Amino acid sequence: MFFQKEIETMNRRDLEELQLKRLKKMVDYCYNNVPFYHERLNQAGITGDKIKCLSDIQYIPFTTKDDIRDNYPFGMLAQPMKNIVRIHASSGTTGKPTVGAYTKADLDNWSDQVARVAVAAGAREDDIFQISFGYGLFTGALGLHYGLEKIGATVIPASSGNTSKQLMMFRDFGVTGLVATPSYALYLGEQLREAGYPREDYKLRLGLLGSEGCTEKMRDQIEESLGLRVTDNYGMTELTGPGVSGECEYRCGLHFAEDAFLPEIIDQETHEPLGPGESGELVVTTLLREGMPVLRYRTKDITRLTYEPCACGRTHARMEKVMGRTDDMLIIKGVNVFPSQIESVLIGMEGVGPHYQLVVTKRNFLDQLEVKVELLPTAPLDRYGELEAIQRRVHDRLKSVLGLETKVTLVEPKSLERFQGKAKRVLDLRGE
């Protein structure tokens, strides 16, 4: 089943012609309507007619999160406020929030893009989806809400929290689909087991998870505990929200909505463009957005792109699951460490659960990494020798994967914080 087959299976040549046409138009649109871009493009000597081929995008200056924050709240708007019908914003946990502003056309396009992702993942009009993202300024909940409604699915706007009620609605409402962060889905799985109801009381079959990374091992654990099939999707406030890309049922990469977003991969140090299959930082240009368009936005996400058509028939580029973020990456004694690497080690290891915390400190001017790992309730809490063996296995496996000495601390079951939104796994105390 295709949602917009004529677009999603467009041949590469026609798709690139469409992208070039929209890129030229978007450059001029930004030049004429956003003072920030007028100045930047003037300095670079770039106008729409100077863009002769897609590779000419490299001459357009990058846009960064700091640029958007420096123009907070509405300095990046391309439309007068009377034409803006919705405002979203990021959490702003590391500074001023980044704002997203939407015209009516933006919302229509956004729901189309999310609907594509949902249908590609296997969502159907007879599904009942429970959205366990927090509603509010966050784009995830309302983004998935309107996209799922567009395909005719039933939507339960549960929001996050009140986990026992979430499980009750799974059973009583016959919920078949879940929208949540991977970490909250993992927690729901834990609570489902403890609730003690037979698996037949649940009709869950599909999970559309997003907003944070999800390793394959974590996905397997979620699928086993909730009895559903998980797919990943990608987006961010700066680019509209969810719907930028998402996995199909084959789960061999996230299909980019290339008619609406033009992706590039660059070397994060030299900023030079990289080719298909090369790993680097994802840069995205919006091609349809009216309210707050962005040119060459540096996402800080590390991934790679492939342009081979998928077995599902879709022809748009596919991005690999995000390997990590440049701003999530820890540099410990000169070694690059991503939380996802540690997660991949812990999930499936005997005696320990998937919940962890990274504590970074400095001792004698040297960085120290402590990994707090939660024991499973079945772990031998009263047998020191066996606990020591578990600790040693975790330590040795981390050292093998990271190439780095870490301190491993085992903590009691359920003692680490559970997250209903994005998980916050890193406690960096080096500046204290």
Side-chain angles (χ1 to χ4, degrees):
M1 174 181 177
F2 287 87
F3 181 70
Q4 292 178 322
K5 184 175 180 179
E6 71 284 359
I7 297 173
E8 294 183 81
T9 62
M10 187 179 288
N11 73 62
R12 191 81 221 160
R13 179 187 229 172
D14 290 345
L15 179 57
E16 290 182 353
E17 285 180 4
L18 177 64
Q19 288 177 318
L20 181 59
K21 178 182 175 182
R22 289 181 173 176
L23 176 61
K24 291 163 71 77
K25 183 177 179 181
M26 182 55 71
V27 169
D28 284 337
Y29 179 74
C30 290
Y31 182 89
N32 292 324
N33 293 285
V34 185
F36 168 82
Y37 281 124
H38 184 92
E39 182 180 345
R40 281 283 181 92
L41 293 168
N42 248 345
Q43 291 172 352
I46 297 295
T47 53
D49 62 343
K50 299 275 182 73
I51 305 292
K52 304 298 184 185
C53 57
L54 286 177
S55 62
D56 286 344
I57 196 172
Q58 66 186 297
Y59 303 117
I60 298 173
F62 294 113
T63 305
T64 66
K65 186 184 287 285
D66 286 341
D67 292 329
I68 296 175
R69 284 180 174 157
D70 289 346
N71 286 277
Y72 173 87
F74 301 130
M76 300 290 280
L77 258 61
Q79 290 283 323
M81 188 57 75
K82 67 178 183 179
N83 294 338
I84 300 299
V85 298
R86 176 94 63 80
I87 291 172
H88 282 281
S90 67
S91 60
T93 52
T94 57
K96 287 278 190 181
T98 52
V99 173
Y102 305 75
T103 64
K104 186 177 185 305
D106 288 335
L107 293 183
D108 289 341
N109 286 328
W110 186 16
S111 61
D112 277 0
Q113 291 146 17
V114 174
R116 282 191 213 169
V117 166
V119 169
R124 305 186 299 247
E125 62 180 10
D126 60 349
D127 274 314
I128 301 173
F129 271 91
Q130 187 160 308
I131 297 182
S132 299
F133 279 147
Y135 277 73
L137 290 174
F138 171 56
T139 59
L142 285 172
L144 269 297
H145 184 125
Y146 285 102
L148 288 165
E149 283 188 346
K150 181 158 270 192
I151 70 172
T154 302
V155 174
I156 302 169
S159 198
S160 58
N162 201 342
T163 301
S164 60
K165 189 174 182 180
Q166 300 263 3
L167 299 180
M168 180 191 75
M169 289 189 290
F170 283 170
R171 298 187 298 270
D172 295 351
F173 295 171
V175 173
T176 59
L178 171 66
V179 173
T181 62
S183 54
Y184 190 51
L186 199 62
Y187 180 57
L188 283 168
E190 283 184 354
Q191 296 304 300
L192 185 147
R193 282 195 301 271
E194 292 186 9
Y197 289 85
R199 182 59 68 88
E200 308 86 72
D201 286 2
Y202 298 91
K203 297 181 180 177
L204 290 167
R205 68 171 197 89
L206 181 63
L208 301 178
L209 306 187
S211 186
E212 64 184 22
C214 182
T215 63
E216 288 194 13
K217 288 184 178 180
M218 185 177 187
R219 182 187 70 193
D220 291 344
Q221 191 155 334
I222 293 168
E223 289 184 335
E224 192 279 327
S225 63
L226 288 175
L228 44 63
R229 180 177 171 83
V230 166
T231 63
D232 196 4
N233 62 84
Y234 176 83
M236 56 178 56
T237 304
E238 297 88 336
L239 302 178
T240 298
V244 175
S245 67
E247 287 183 308
C248 70
E249 292 177 275
Y250 287 89
R251 298 195 301 196
C252 54
L254 284 71
H255 293 269
F256 233 89
E258 280 196 280
D259 56 312
F261 305 97
L262 182 56
E264 310 168 67
I265 299 293
I266 64 166
D267 183 290
Q268 48 278 41
E269 301 297 332
T270 68
H271 303 166
E272 290 298 311
L274 299 175
E278 293 187 276
S279 175
E281 181 181 353
L282 177 67
V283 174
V284 182
T285 296
T286 59
L287 297 177
L288 293 177
R289 200 173 183 192
E290 291 182 342
M292 193 176 283
V294 291
L295 300 176
R296 302 196 80 199
Y297 182 72
R298 294 189 61 178
T299 67
K300 297 187 177 181
D301 288 325
I302 308 301
T303 184
R304 57 170 63 93
L305 297 173
T306 178
Y307 292 87
E308 295 298 319
C310 180
C312 73
R314 291 172 177 83
T315 55
H316 292 210
R318 284 171 286 146
M319 62 178 277
E320 190 174 285
K321 278 176 174 283
V322 171
M323 304 168 196
R325 289 180 55 80
T326 58
D327 55 357
D328 282 346
M329 183 179 75
L330 298 169
I331 302 178
I332 309 294
K333 299 177 183 176
V335 176
N336 295 344
V337 177
F338 290 104
S340 59
Q341 292 174 292
I342 292 167
E343 182 179 290
S344 68
V345 167
L346 298 179
I347 289 183
M349 285 198 75
E350 185 179 351
V352 299
H355 302 285
Y356 63 94
Q357 184 182 48
L358 310 183
V359 182
V360 189
T361 55
K362 193 177 284 290
R363 183 184 306 158
N364 297 328
F365 306 104
L366 293 176
D367 294 332
Q368 308 291 326
L369 175 62
E370 178 185 9
V371 182
K372 291 186 176 181
V373 183
E374 193 176 272
L375 289 163
L376 290 175
T378 54
L381 302 180
D382 57 346
R383 297 196 291 274
Y384 180 77
E386 291 183 40
L387 292 178
E388 193 174 50
I390 291 173
Q391 183 183 41
R392 188 165 55 251
R393 281 197 301 272
V394 174
H395 169 273
D396 293 348
R397 180 65 179 146
L398 285 173
K399 187 173 182 179
S400 172
V401 170
L402 303 178
L404 183 72
E405 188 68 36
T406 62
K407 176 184 177 183
V408 174
T409 302
L410 302 180
V411 300
E412 292 185 358
K414 299 184 180 179
S415 61
L416 293 178
E417 183 179 357
R418 301 306 195 251
F419 299 95
Q420 297 168 8
K422 289 186 179 182
K424 300 175 183 65
R425 305 288 194 192
V426 180
L427 185 61
D428 195 336
L429 303 178
R430 284 177 289 188
E432 297 186 3

